Amino acid sequence: MSFQVRFNAATRVVNIGFFDRVDGAEKHAAVRQVAEKYGHLHPLLVLADVRKADIQMSLEERRALGSYIAHLPGISQGRFAVLHAPEYNANVVIDSAARKEGLALMEFVTEQAAEHWLIGDEH
């Protein structure tokens, strides 16, 4: 398994960390786990860190995953901040597809900026 899902009780943010080689099955499993365990949270705030991920998916698989995420019950009304390396965004196709389908999603290169967008002045 090339991902880890954690809940930060202090910030109420669900963190998904992806690392090493990540395929479509693992991406789907991570999103389903978030939906099942945390989809009841309102608002659902998710920080997905793909800085250490080597995503092994075709462009079509990435587009399909973005659409899937945007319509998945428990996830579709959430806010997603995606943290990626400054020189390369391994998630750009997935993120673009999810945003096109209506998911509130922004991309960041620093964890501080991502958390500020998710939490705002509430924390």
Side-chain angles (χ1 to χ4, degrees):
M1 191 163 47
S2 296
F3 70 90
Q4 181 180 28
V5 177
R6 297 179 336 268
F7 179 69
N8 183 327
T11 61
R12 299 189 47 83
V13 172
V14 178
N15 292 279
I16 310 171
F18 292 97
F19 48 89
D20 298 330
R21 293 175 57 96
V22 180
D23 63 18
E26 289 173 309
K27 283 285 221 176
H28 275 86
V31 173
R32 280 193 309 272
Q33 185 175 336
V34 170
E36 291 168 5
K37 287 187 174 182
Y38 304 106
H40 66 282
L41 297 175
H42 293 284
L44 173 62
L45 307 174
V46 179
L47 176 60
D49 186 345
V50 297
R51 291 177 293 183
K52 298 177 184 171
D54 177 17
I55 299 176
Q56 301 293 308
M57 298 171 65
S58 71
L59 287 177
E60 190 50 44
E61 288 174 317
R62 292 171 192 234
R63 286 186 195 102
L65 178 62
S67 180
Y68 172 78
I69 293 168
H71 297 285
L72 183 63
I75 295 285
S76 60
Q77 299 303 312
R79 286 173 59 94
F80 278 71
V82 178
L83 189 57
H84 61 84
E87 65 279 358
Y88 178 69
N89 182 352
N91 235 48
V92 69
V93 174
I94 298 167
D95 298 350
S96 296
R99 261 197 312 270
K100 184 178 177 184
E101 296 286 330
L103 187 66
L105 183 147
M106 293 290 289
E107 298 168 345
F108 300 90
V109 295
T110 68
E111 195 165 343
Q112 182 180 15
E115 286 183 351
H116 181 74
W117 180 76
L118 282 172
I119 307 167
D121 294 327
E122 295 175 17
H123 182 62

